[in-house]
Amino acid sequence: MMFVPVTLATVTDCCCVAPASESFSSPLLANQESRIMGSIDKESDNFVDALDVPLSDAVGPQAGYTDDGMSPRDSNCSYDKGDGTEKGKNEIQYSTPGGSPLLDRSPDLPVSTGYCTPCGSPPNSRAPPGDAFHSSKAPGRSLINIGKQGCENQNSGSVPNSEIAPADSGSGVVASLASMDLGSLMPIRFAKADVTDDSYLSTPASSTSSHSGYPRQRRSSSSARFSEDLRFEEARAQEIRANALGRSLSEIATEVLKGGEGKGLSPLEDETWRKRGKHFFIFSNAGKPIYSRYGDEGKLAGLMAIMQAMLAVVQGRGDCAKTLQAGRCQIVFLLKGPIVLVGLSRVGESPSWVSKQLELIFFQILSLATGALLRVLERNPGSDVRNLVKGSQGMLESLIKGFSSNPSYLLEAFCPVRMMAELRSTAADTLDMAVKHCGAKCGILLASGQLVALAQDKNAPLHVQDLILLVNFVVSNSQYRERGGAEFSTPICMPHLHMTAFLHAYVYCMDPEAGVVVILLMTRQDTFHLGSAARVGMEKVLRDAGVLRVLRGMPGGRPGGQVQIDELPLVAGGGQASVSPLLYFVFRTKSRTCPQFVSSKPGTLLQDTSNFKHMLRSLSCVHSAMFEGRTSPSLPVHQNHWRLDDHYAIYAQVDQDWDCYLVCDALADKDVAVRICKELSKYLLAEQMRAELFINS
Amino acid sequence: MGRTASEPLPARPATPSRRAPLQLFAFDDRRGNREGAESDKVLAFYPPELPIDDQLGTVGLAQALVTFMTTFTDGDGRLHSLETDRHWWAVRRFEDGIWFGMVVERIWGPGRLGGGACGALLEDVYEWTRLLYGPVNRLLERDPSGTGAAASVGEAVEGWGERLVGGRGKGDKGEWESPFGVERHRVVPAMPLERGALIATQEVVGRLLTATHNSLKPVRAVLVVYDNMLLWSTMDAATTRTVFNYVTKTISNGSKPQLARRSSTLKIPSDGGSLVSCWPVTVRQGLLTFFLLIDEFAGGTGQVLNQVRGVMSGRAKQIAGAAADLLSSRNKFHVSGYRYLVVDSAMHYGTASPKKKLAHLSRKTLALLAQAQACLMDRGPDGEPPCEGAEVAARGDHGAWVYVRKGTTNSLSVALEQLPDEGLVEIGDHVGKLCDKFFPGFFDI
């Protein structure tokens, strides 16, 4: 990997030299950043000052954050340390791993007015020459001709933009499908739902006018009726187009999936690829590939185009596809603005859990690329944005692996480190002081990926999902975990807070062996030195108090597993493995700001990774059944759930303040499980144990 | 201020073709793959008045879903289901190249119960078609133009569509939208007779089967039905269910829309597995119906009928009286405090609480039970049976308990709405007592 030197900073005592071998950033990112850096170097610091407005002062684009993802990240980062150190004494680089070029305004990003053409096609969509689809597929021809003609009429004379076609998107049918058929369907959806899609990323200023630039007017009742009729007609017209595509879709799918990709080259021909337990695909709503967990996205362009075509046909009928299932194989679709996420699972997970995984992947991508990625795709659905997310592949892989090994994502809760109450209190107080000292929005102290302390404004806490993804962002990057003594500053978006704004994460590894990492989320980049100073003080206190020594002695490995089953009282399921029916448990405390869970170390039967994964999948099914279709996040559909199958007896209970999930052996009786749940909750919530296990939120 | 990413996008308005809550269709994926001949693909479509372009759009998408899924799954004989915001799509292949599919609103009929229920309905429609006309491929062999097959399959599909949707949306879909519906579980409601009536039934049936004409035994099978409940059958479980459907949906009285009664033969599997044609003959005594399947080539149907009447005289009255007595206590199948369904999948037999009692259950409880049933009964996506001895118990946020237990071939579904303060252990005990009292030994594992 290669870090991109952002700028030169001057410090006296901290040292952080960005290695040139590793980075999240893709080559394109690097090039673009380098280019941007070059331009910034030539500019004055005022350029940065004009953009950099504290998020804490005013959240929202109108408060100074540019809605188009413009970033001050690459500004000149010289800073004045709190101790009065003067700038320019030592020149040390600090870097921005995981940065995205979308945080910066690229001068050659297309500036489009959106879809304002009656045919709804992107203004610059073009049919590829030598289109095999046009020449051979009569049912689709009329559709395409209509779309194309309308498009040409509207856009005659428009200047082709710099749309990048996937290099390996295939020729003939695939290319034509991706570029033409979908183009003639999708933009109409946008044109019809312009308010929706406009507000998806828009600023208040932009919401006062339509895409075409004309101000919106209030409608009278008669015009509203007329509008209703018009909408009906439009819907019917779109349905006719969808049906026209639908009738030829099966032929196109057959051609693409069974031979159109080029034999021997496509992953579709690879049995190993096809039999993978889980796939994740991301593509734009124009069918352009963005990400695939396995296989080259370019070679999967046809597959993704077919998926998008199917979705477009369903959408054309005024509906939205959610889950496709055949046998053990289920495919879950998640549409997020102009991005489509698809998860394929054949390992027995529930559709709602797969959908949640997709959502987390989406937000993880946004945490780096920000909503500007969506904006680019909305302006030009044909854009090839593969390179913009390529840098996050390692992070995504870590996230995806975590889905089957870390209950944190399923439960949306933090996994706290088990430690003595006094030490935890010291750590929490120290972190809290550091956060206040540097004016950070949030501070996190991690050890081996588990939470030691969390400090944030209780009146305006960050969304738990955002923080969990932030932890994954840091933990998945070996640079952050292992480079002791190095200070990093990286912009990171908190999508639930604001999709297009971002905070600056100050990351410092205090102890590479124990993976002790502190993260301070700053609202301004020029407060890096404050974060650094606060960290120095914090580190000193933690070291003197012995917290770091204790954390170093902690076992690493899989998150969770703070409690051994044999240390539990017998009535709470404790005892030797041969005696206790309890195999595993997860106990989650509810909190708006800091939900946490404690779990047992897997027993003998679950030591094996595949067994543990299988157990966790069973648990996820129970969790999904309990929470699927809930009307309130705190109110589950099931209060108690008991499930017995060939492998496990699972009992779950949701209380006002906690959830408890027990996995017992399949011979366990209900009364035993209920008793264990009752006693276990008592034991874990006893004052001393609670202080040891949970962070006081 | 910009929206946060977690906010959902508003739904789009409905389009015209959404007016029909159910679309039911059959297609042949080997036909109509030529430009301009796409309509040959569609063998049947309900509602038939839907424009052909819309029909082709639906069928094309259904076929595309299947084609797409073959990238990741082997074999296309299994059910393919697509869940959308407002609909369930289900497609399944029953013969080489012959697919039956449906699109149903999620808030209507089997759509309430999910893809598994849609798949069960498709099976019923196909089996009905096969019972009346034989395999679709055989129809296509006889008439390669497909006109004959389209007429036959079309009649079956449209008949089912009409029956489910009804003239004014008041069709008979109740059994398909309740988790207690026996049709959704592909079983028939049966009535256990008392010993005397049972022996009488057995005697009558035995004499019918051994009745001869020209030294031949013309009666191939007998089904005895009382008030839409099965008393006796001489056919295997699967055929019994199909024929029972035919009897209750075409012959028996009632206010529900009836499927068209045909005077032609029915095709039932013979001992060797091949299909044989039989004339259906119905003999009624009040609510009691003896349904006979007489060999098509036996001849002398009139004489056979005379023999049948002779055999049945006297005995039929006794059986009908016993069955009437059994049902006269209004709540014969009611167990106070419980709403239940017992299903024996091997015998295609089911018993449920009285419909009037089930009608009082809340939507939430029904949804909870449907979810719990799906956990156990719909598992086995590759056709394998769900694990034995599995059970799911859950308490909803409204306090009702549901309990589903799956044995080797049988299952029990119970809803308890009046015990919100009871815990899991107490509920388990209650259900155990119910089993011991009314279904002893049924769930001994």
Side-chain angles (χ1 to χ4, degrees):
Chain A
M1 293 208 297
M2 184 178 70
F3 274 177
V4 181
V6 173
T7 186
L8 298 178
T10 52
V11 292
T12 50
D13 55 354
C14 80
C15 66
C16 167
V17 181
S21 58
E22 285 185 291
S23 168
F24 275 138
S25 305
S26 65
L28 183 70
L29 299 192
N31 293 338
Q32 202 163 345
E33 289 197 16
S34 301
R35 178 171 47 73
I36 293 165
M37 280 314 305
S39 65
I40 289 176
D41 284 344
K42 294 172 189 171
E43 297 197 18
S44 70
D45 289 349
N46 293 337
F47 173 70
V48 175
D49 296 338
L51 296 171
D52 209 357
V53 178
L55 188 58
S56 56
D57 293 343
V59 175
Q62 79 280 19
Y65 271 77
T66 51
D67 68 302
D68 57 358
M70 192 178 283
S71 163
R73 186 199 57 176
D74 296 323
S75 62
N76 190 325
C77 293
S78 299
Y79 60 85
D80 190 0
K81 287 178 64 69
D83 57 2
T85 309
E86 217 173 305
K87 297 176 187 178
K89 284 191 178 171
N90 295 329
E91 290 194 337
I92 305 292
Q93 291 176 328
Y94 77 93
S95 57
T96 61
S100 162
L102 290 169
L103 296 172
D104 304 291
R105 184 196 292 278
S106 174
D108 53 6
L109 276 179
V111 180
S112 165
T113 54
Y115 307 124
C116 55
T117 59
C119 76
S121 299
N124 300 315
S125 63
R126 287 167 293 156
D131 190 338
F133 184 76
H134 279 74
S135 60
S136 63
K137 297 288 174 282
R141 190 189 305 159
S142 58
L143 160 75
I144 292 169
N145 286 343
I146 292 166
K148 190 179 175 185
Q149 191 178 358
C151 191
E152 283 170 352
N153 289 343
Q154 282 296 322
N155 300 297
S156 56
S158 65
V159 181
N161 67 6
S162 58
E163 177 183 328
I164 306 164
D168 303 314
S169 62
S171 59
V173 173
V174 182
S176 61
L177 181 66
S179 61
M180 291 306 299
D181 284 347
L182 309 183
S184 62
L185 279 171
M186 298 312 299
I188 289 177
R189 184 171 67 87
F190 276 81
K192 277 174 54 55
D194 55 350
V195 177
T196 300
D197 291 318
D198 190 30
S199 61
Y200 195 74
L201 282 176
S202 69
T203 62
S206 66
S207 66
T208 57
S209 61
S210 65
H211 278 306
S212 58
Y214 293 107
R216 294 194 177 114
Q217 296 174 350
R218 289 188 64 180
R219 293 165 176 167
S220 65
S221 58
S222 60
S223 67
R225 274 199 301 277
F226 175 74
S227 169
E228 195 61 32
D229 292 343
L230 200 62
R231 283 166 68 83
F232 185 82
E233 289 303 319
E234 275 181 16
R236 180 61 190 154
Q238 183 163 359
E239 189 178 345
I240 289 170
R241 278 191 289 270
N243 284 332
L245 177 56
R247 60 195 283 184
S248 55
L249 194 55
S250 60
E251 295 168 43
I252 300 170
T254 306
E255 196 165 333
V256 171
L257 300 175
K258 293 184 178 170
E261 291 283 338
K263 292 198 174 190
L265 294 172
S266 167
L268 301 179
E269 305 290 326
D270 181 0
E271 196 67 13
T272 313
W273 183 90
R274 291 172 58 190
K275 297 290 178 194
R276 293 257 185 206
K278 286 180 84 168
H279 281 280
F280 288 98
F281 306 105
I282 305 176
F283 47 90
S284 74
N285 61 8
K288 299 281 182 177
I290 297 175
Y291 169 80
S292 168
R293 187 186 183 195
Y294 300 114
D296 180 6
E297 294 91 0
K299 289 178 180 168
L300 294 169
L303 181 77
M304 297 193 197
I306 289 296
M307 282 194 268
Q308 175 52 30
M310 289 193 305
L311 292 174
V313 171
V314 174
Q315 283 183 322
R317 301 164 67 96
D319 214 338
C320 182
K322 288 166 74 176
T323 309
L324 176 59
Q325 187 158 4
R328 301 194 77 82
C329 179
Q330 60 179 357
I331 297 178
V332 179
F333 303 97
L334 182 68
L335 278 64
K336 288 282 188 184
I339 288 184
V340 182
L341 298 100
V342 180
L344 181 150
S345 172
R346 59 173 104 239
V347 294
E349 294 168 320
S350 70
S352 61
W353 171 222
V354 178
S355 181
K356 192 170 175 183
Q357 293 174 20
L358 293 174
E359 192 178 70
L360 286 166
I361 289 174
F362 172 71
F363 287 132
Q364 186 78 82
I365 289 174
L366 284 197
S367 70
L368 280 191
T370 78
L373 176 70
L374 308 179
R375 183 168 289 273
V376 167
L377 287 171
E378 288 196 339
R379 283 177 177 166
N380 188 354
S383 300
D384 185 356
V385 295
R386 275 180 289 171
N387 285 332
L388 304 184
V389 297
K390 228 170 201 172
S392 56
Q393 277 187 341
M395 188 174 58
L396 292 181
E397 188 56 30
S398 160
L399 181 69
I400 290 167
K401 282 183 177 165
F403 292 148
S404 54
S405 61
N406 185 353
S408 184
Y409 301 110
L410 176 71
L411 301 172
E412 286 193 4
F414 298 102
C415 178
V417 171
R418 180 178 182 176
M419 61 194 298
M420 286 175 64
E422 297 78 24
L423 291 177
R424 187 192 298 285
S425 177
T426 305
D429 291 346
T430 313
L431 181 66
D432 202 35
M433 279 181 61
V435 165
K436 283 176 183 162
H437 176 73
C438 64
K441 183 149 183 66
C442 174
I444 297 173
L445 184 62
L446 299 172
S448 299
Q450 294 177 255
L451 195 67
V452 179
L454 172 71
Q456 60 175 332
D457 182 4
K458 283 175 185 161
N459 295 322
L462 293 173
H463 197 281
V464 178
Q465 252 183 17
D466 284 347
L467 292 177
I468 289 173
L469 293 176
L470 172 66
V471 170
N472 178 61
F473 167 70
V474 171
V475 170
S476 63
N477 187 349
S478 58
Q479 290 299 315
Y480 294 141
R481 272 194 337 262
E482 295 166 4
R483 286 193 60 83
E487 294 176 294
F488 298 93
S489 174
T490 181
I492 185 139
C493 174
M494 300 277 120
H496 289 89
L497 180 67
H498 198 289
M499 284 232 313
T500 52
F502 48 89
L503 297 167
H504 299 274
Y506 169 88
V507 185
Y508 180 81
C509 179
M510 292 182 178
D511 189 332
E513 283 178 27
V516 181
V517 179
V518 61
I519 308 165
L520 298 170
L521 278 179
M522 318 291 283
T523 52
R524 295 168 62 101
Q525 187 182 14
D526 56 7
T527 52
F528 177 86
H529 63 290
L530 293 178
S532 179
R535 187 268 310 161
V536 170
M538 179 184 170
E539 189 174 7
K540 185 174 184 310
V541 174
L542 292 179
R543 203 176 294 281
D544 293 346
V547 175
L548 292 183
R549 182 170 45 80
V550 170
L551 291 177
R552 188 176 297 131
M554 280 183 21
R558 184 184 291 134
Q562 300 95 324
V563 181
Q564 290 275 12
I565 285 180
D566 53 14
E567 73 174 278
L568 295 171
L570 280 174
V571 287
Q576 295 296 322
S578 56
V579 176
S580 172
L582 185 62
L583 300 177
Y584 184 75
F585 76 83
V586 183
F587 188 86
R588 177 186 186 271
T589 57
K590 292 177 182 172
S591 162
R592 193 168 67 94
T593 53
C594 185
Q596 301 158 58
F597 74 91
V598 167
S599 62
S600 65
K601 293 186 194 305
T604 319
L605 292 174
L606 301 174
Q607 291 281 341
D608 181 57
T609 310
S610 61
N611 286 349
F612 185 80
K613 283 183 177 178
H614 181 267
M615 183 276 298
L616 211 55
R617 279 197 291 271
S618 299
L619 209 55
S620 74
C621 288
V622 169
H623 184 271
S624 299
M626 293 185 78
F627 287 90
E628 196 174 331
R630 61 186 169 173
T631 50
S632 159
S634 59
L635 191 65
V637 176
H638 299 186
Q639 290 176 335
N640 303 71
H641 192 104
W642 162 262
R643 181 177 300 195
L644 174 72
D645 61 21
D646 287 344
H647 300 94
Y648 313 109
I650 298 178
Y651 177 63
Q653 184 175 341
V654 177
D655 197 77
Q656 198 172 355
D657 302 320
W658 49 264
D659 308 344
C660 185
Y661 304 85
L662 304 180
V663 181
C664 303
D665 71 56
L667 295 176
D669 285 334
K670 294 183 210 56
D671 54 345
V672 173
V674 171
R675 176 178 51 78
I676 289 176
C677 180
K678 187 178 170 187
E679 297 298 330
L680 183 66
S681 59
K682 264 190 207 170
Y683 174 75
L684 296 176
L685 294 175
E687 193 175 347
Q688 188 185 348
M689 203 62 187
R690 182 176 192 139
E692 199 174 307
L693 289 172
F694 296 103
I695 298 166
N696 187 7
S697 60
Chain B
M1 183 176 291
R3 274 163 53 121
T4 60
S6 55
E7 291 176 44
L9 294 172
R12 298 182 61 243
T15 51
S17 72
R18 303 287 76 74
R19 287 183 296 240
L22 171 74
Q23 292 180 12
L24 201 54
F25 51 88
F27 64 92
D28 181 352
D29 65 9
R30 300 159 300 186
R31 303 165 64 86
N33 294 325
R34 205 158 40 78
E35 187 177 328
E38 291 91 347
S39 57
D40 289 352
K41 186 179 295 183
V42 184
L43 296 174
F45 202 98
Y46 175 85
E49 61 271 17
L50 201 69
I52 186 67
D53 283 343
D54 289 4
Q55 293 183 14
L56 288 173
T58 300
V59 170
L61 179 56
Q63 197 181 341
L65 295 176
V66 172
T67 307
F68 171 70
M69 283 305 274
T70 52
T71 309
F72 299 104
T73 58
D74 290 329
D76 49 6
R78 58 179 63 128
L79 176 71
H80 293 66
S81 64
L82 171 70
E83 182 188 9
T84 71
D85 276 350
R86 301 212 312 265
H87 292 88
W88 274 100
W89 291 61
V91 198
R92 182 168 170 186
R93 194 192 64 159
F94 289 97
E95 294 175 32
D96 280 348
I98 305 298
W99 297 77
F100 279 63
M102 67 187 295
V103 186
V104 61
E105 284 182 2
R106 286 167 62 101
I107 55 166
W108 188 92
R112 287 186 190 278
L113 301 178
C118 297
L121 176 59
L122 286 182
E123 275 188 63
D124 270 3
V125 176
Y126 170 72
E127 282 170 7
W128 179 274
T129 308
R130 199 176 65 156
L131 178 73
L132 295 185
Y133 310 104
V136 180
N137 274 327
R138 191 178 293 174
L139 296 175
L140 289 168
E141 282 167 17
R142 280 186 210 150
D143 178 10
S145 74
T147 313
S152 302
V153 180
E155 189 179 356
V157 165
E158 288 170 28
W160 268 88
E162 282 299 327
R163 184 169 197 275
L164 289 164
V165 178
R168 293 180 181 176
K170 293 188 177 178
D172 183 23
K173 64 181 191 311
E175 288 287 309
W176 289 101
E177 64 182 2
S178 166
F180 287 104
V182 289
E183 295 207 25
R184 181 260 175 276
H185 297 285
R186 310 202 70 248
V187 294
V188 296
M191 183 191 293
L193 285 171
E194 56 153 12
R195 185 181 167 81
L198 201 65
I199 291 172
T201 309
Q202 190 178 11
E203 183 193 342
V204 172
V205 170
R207 289 178 66 181
L208 288 173
L209 287 175
T210 51
T212 54
H213 175 70
N214 291 340
S215 70
L216 290 172
K217 292 176 184 169
V219 179
R220 273 196 170 263
V222 180
L223 194 80
V224 187
V225 177
Y226 184 86
D227 194 16
N228 288 343
M229 298 184 88
L230 180 68
L231 298 184
W232 194 276
S233 170
T234 61
M235 292 168 278
D236 64 79
T239 313
T240 295
R241 178 177 149 64
T242 311
V243 175
F244 178 84
N245 261 341
Y246 178 84
V247 173
T248 54
K249 287 178 175 54
T250 58
I251 297 169
S252 68
N253 50 11
S255 57
K256 290 170 184 171
Q258 296 296 299
L259 289 170
R261 185 178 175 183
R262 295 177 53 84
S263 57
S264 65
T265 56
L266 300 182
K267 280 75 183 170
I268 61 167
S270 66
D271 295 338
S274 59
L275 295 180
V276 291
S277 295
C278 296
W279 290 106
V281 172
T282 309
V283 183
R284 305 181 71 168
Q285 171 84 43
L287 292 173
L288 184 70
T289 303
F290 274 78
F291 187 76
L292 284 67
L293 289 169
I294 297 177
D295 204 316
E296 186 183 22
F297 304 108
T301 310
Q303 285 123 327
V304 173
L305 275 178
N306 286 335
Q307 285 190 35
V308 167
R309 287 197 186 98
V311 167
M312 287 179 58
S313 60
R315 288 297 194 190
K317 245 180 197 173
Q318 182 193 349
I319 298 165
D325 288 345
L326 208 62
L327 281 180
S328 62
S329 51
R330 288 167 58 90
N331 294 331
K332 167 68 186 168
F333 297 103
H334 174 53
V335 183
S336 182
Y338 299 85
R339 304 291 179 268
Y340 68 90
L341 168 71
V342 178
V343 168
D344 185 336
S345 305
M347 299 301 292
H348 289 231
Y349 156 96
T351 304
S353 290
K355 286 183 182 174
K356 284 182 182 173
K357 295 288 179 187
L358 294 174
H360 295 298
L361 286 173
S362 69
R363 282 273 177 215
K364 267 190 171 181
T365 305
L366 292 175
L368 199 64
L369 183 64
Q371 188 193 36
Q373 284 179 346
C375 290
L376 293 187
M377 297 179 187
D378 287 344
R379 194 178 280 184
D382 291 324
E384 76 274 16
C387 59
E388 297 171 11
E391 62 183 12
V392 167
R395 177 164 62 179
D397 56 357
H398 60 305
W401 276 95
V402 297
Y403 185 103
V404 181
R405 186 163 188 183
K406 181 85 180 70
T408 316
T409 58
N410 44 33
S411 68
L412 170 71
S413 306
V414 184
L416 302 110
E417 281 196 326
Q418 293 162 10
L419 301 169
D421 299 326
E422 302 277 14
L424 175 67
V425 180
E426 290 79 17
I427 293 299
D429 289 344
H430 285 308
V431 174
K433 283 175 190 168
L434 174 79
C435 289
D436 291 342
K437 188 174 178 183
F438 296 98
F439 320 107
F442 205 64
F443 290 100
D444 290 345
I445 301 164

